[in-house]
Amino acid sequence: MAKTQYTCVECGYKSVKALGRCPNCGAWDSFKEESPVGRALAGGSRGGLAKVRPLPNPDAVVRLGEVDPGGETRFESGIAELDRVLGGGFVPGEVLLLGGEPGVGKSTILLQVADRMLRQGKRVIYLAGEESPGQIRLRAERLGVSGDLELLRETELETMLATLEAAPPEFLVVDSIQTLETASAPGSLVAVRDATSALTRFAKAHRVTTVLVGHVTKEGVVAGPKVIEHVVDATLYLETAGNFRVLRSTKNRFGPVGEMGVFRMEEAGMEEVANPSEAFLAERPVGAPGSVVALTLSGERALALELQALAARTPFPAPRRVSQGLDSRRVDVVLAVLERRLELPLGNLDVYVNLAGGLRVFDAGLDLAVALAVYSAVVGKPIPADFAVVGEVGLAGEVRSVEGLERRLREGKRAGFERLLYPGVVRNVEEAVKRLI
Ligand code: TYD
Ligand code: MG
């Protein structure tokens, strides 16, 4: 008697029909049939089955003190910048999604990781769905990857899983999740979701650390990102930042989020940039107005970065405010403070503010640098090149304390900046301007 019901796996919207697109959240192909039995067991239906209750599980409740903490079983990838983002290394059975635009270097870095794993004595399987084994061999040889790497050429999900079940590896790379074939069209939301769930079950059952590659389209999403992100343990994104590649985590069940790993794409693959401050400051135009060095924090790591501002006269009544790599709302507030508290005339100027090097850092500690760079650009006087600055700016123009100040100052000194301007040394933006400009 009970009717079949369909539920959107993205948002939980219920319908009597499977809809192509969810009217509630807009997801495509997201309806899944919910069986009357499933609903009855969930306690929701009027059917007779609602009274069926499973036997209680005697092990369902356990005292916290008796839980086995599992111990520290991580293993390092051997690539320090990656381990930093992972939170110290991979965890056995962990499932990770590595997202990024085509060509950013996902396959390259994973071949390099696979090689490190092989050299640690682990068995590694690389599912080659994107490129032919011949292409992979050519690239792998260039990267110096061990010939012991096993390539899996099967992209039909069930067959592939059966092959893996027969002899599970310790480390698995699936390149990419969008190439796997299921009953649904490859790359579709349902296919990606089903493949991710099946691979996650496999990874957990056999404690296989698994990295799923997911292409991000120009619009900036992996097909079905919400579905995947819910299922996997960690989501990493690789993106281009100027001449660099930056790896970040947006979710990590076994580690921090907000950490950043910096790489450079070289002839021999992805090379770590162990000293990002120096790398990002390398092209700094010393002595140019509008340029200042800021001490920022990205995850646990402090960085010295160049911040640039440019001001240009405009005939239009609404001047442009363009910021790159920064929180534009914070930049707007700093500009308002400069106009109102320091009487800097910005009314007929377009203002551009840019974190040099292509990085994106949303950090209140960059406020003071924004204020000084814009002031310097407007009045056309440079800021001394041996200064590095940090501080949040309040609405009254006061310079406020920031998170991780000690770490930032240490990084400033390490990067060679003798003179530092920070909360406590200056009380407000006006004093900072008097000191530097
Ligand atoms: P790739 O890893 O194939 O990107 P993705 O898997 O994210 O699509 O990297 C593609 C680009 O990287 C390609 O344009 C060539 C370049 N590349 C190098 O510069 N050096 C190298 O050692 C390798 C392997 C690739
Ligand atoms: Mg690739």
Side-chain angles (χ1 to χ4, degrees), residues 179-311:
T179 54
L180 295 182
E181 293 157 51
T182 65
S184 317
S188 70
L189 188 113
V190 175
V192 167
R193 182 190 63 208
D194 291 351
T196 305
S197 312
L199 280 161
T200 302
R201 274 195 304 275
F202 166 79
K204 301 292 169 199
H206 301 278
R207 307 228 322 148
V208 179
T209 300
T210 302
V211 183
L212 310 174
V213 173
H215 287 301
V216 174
T217 59
K218 282 284 173 229
E219 292 78 48
V221 287
V222 184
K226 285 189 210 139
V227 198
I228 303 190
E229 290 200 357
H230 279 152
V231 178
V232 298
D233 298 307
T235 310
L236 312 181
Y237 281 98
L238 187 60
E239 56 195 27
T240 306
N243 298 325
F244 301 92
R245 300 284 195 274
V246 172
L247 183 72
R248 298 175 197 264
S249 63
T250 56
K251 165 182 175 173
N252 193 349
R253 280 192 191 134
F254 302 118
V257 288
E259 281 302 327
M260 179 177 85
V262 185
F263 300 87
R264 217 188 319 245
M265 183 63 108
E266 301 286 359
E267 270 306 300
M270 295 273 271
E271 205 164 89
E272 299 183 60
V273 176
N275 192 344
S277 294
E278 256 151 53
F280 282 99
L281 287 173
E283 293 174 343
R284 184 163 65 109
V286 172
S291 164
V292 66
V293 173
L295 301 175
T296 187
L297 205 59
S298 172
E300 291 289 306
R301 173 156 66 187
L303 291 171
L305 297 174
E306 188 205 356
L307 201 133
Q308 296 184 323
L310 180 68

Side-chain angles (χ1 to χ4, degrees), residues 6 12-13 22 56 67 69-70 90 95 130 138 152 218-219 262 294 304 328 339 372 417 423:
Y6 295 84
Y13 181 87
C22 176
V67 174
F90 292 108
V95 180
E130 293 276 334
L138 283 180
L152 182 58
K218 282 284 173 229
E219 292 78 48
V262 185
S328 62
E339 277 198 290
L372 289 166
F417 295 92

Side-chain angles (χ1 to χ4, degrees), residues 111-127:
L111 279 172
Q112 291 174 276
V113 171
D115 179 63
R116 306 291 171 99
M117 297 293 113
L118 287 163
R119 291 181 202 279
Q120 283 181 24
K122 294 195 159 46
R123 225 187 113 219
V124 182
I125 292 188
Y126 192 104
L127 177 107

Side-chain angles (χ1 to χ4, degrees), residues 310-314 316-317 319-321 334-352 371 373-380 433:
L310 180 68
R313 202 170 291 284
T314 169
F316 299 109
R320 282 159 62 95
R321 306 285 180 242
V334 171
L335 296 183
V337 167
L338 289 176
E339 277 198 290
R340 297 301 303 274
R341 307 282 172 192
L342 283 83
E343 290 169 11
L344 191 68
L346 297 172
N348 58 354
L349 295 174
D350 285 339
V351 177
Y352 303 87
V374 171
Y375 199 100
S376 159
V378 171
V379 301
V433 165

Side-chain angles (χ1 to χ4, degrees), residues 71-145:
E72 186 64 19
T73 50
R74 279 180 193 278
F75 52 97
E76 292 182 355
S77 69
I79 299 175
E81 289 292 298
L82 171 61
D83 287 331
R84 166 192 289 279
V85 177
L86 294 173
F90 292 108
V91 173
E94 180 179 14
V95 180
L96 305 102
L97 169 69
L98 176 62
E101 284 191 10
V104 71
K106 301 182 294 297
S107 304
T108 304
I109 194 168
L110 288 174
L111 279 172
Q112 291 174 276
V113 171
D115 179 63
R116 306 291 171 99
M117 297 293 113
L118 287 163
R119 291 181 202 279
Q120 283 181 24
K122 294 195 159 46
R123 225 187 113 219
V124 182
I125 292 188
Y126 192 104
L127 177 107
E130 293 276 334
E131 288 144 302
S132 72
Q135 282 172 309
I136 294 182
R137 174 160 184 189
L138 283 180
R139 181 194 301 217
E141 276 178 357
R142 205 143 58 79
L143 298 172
V145 175

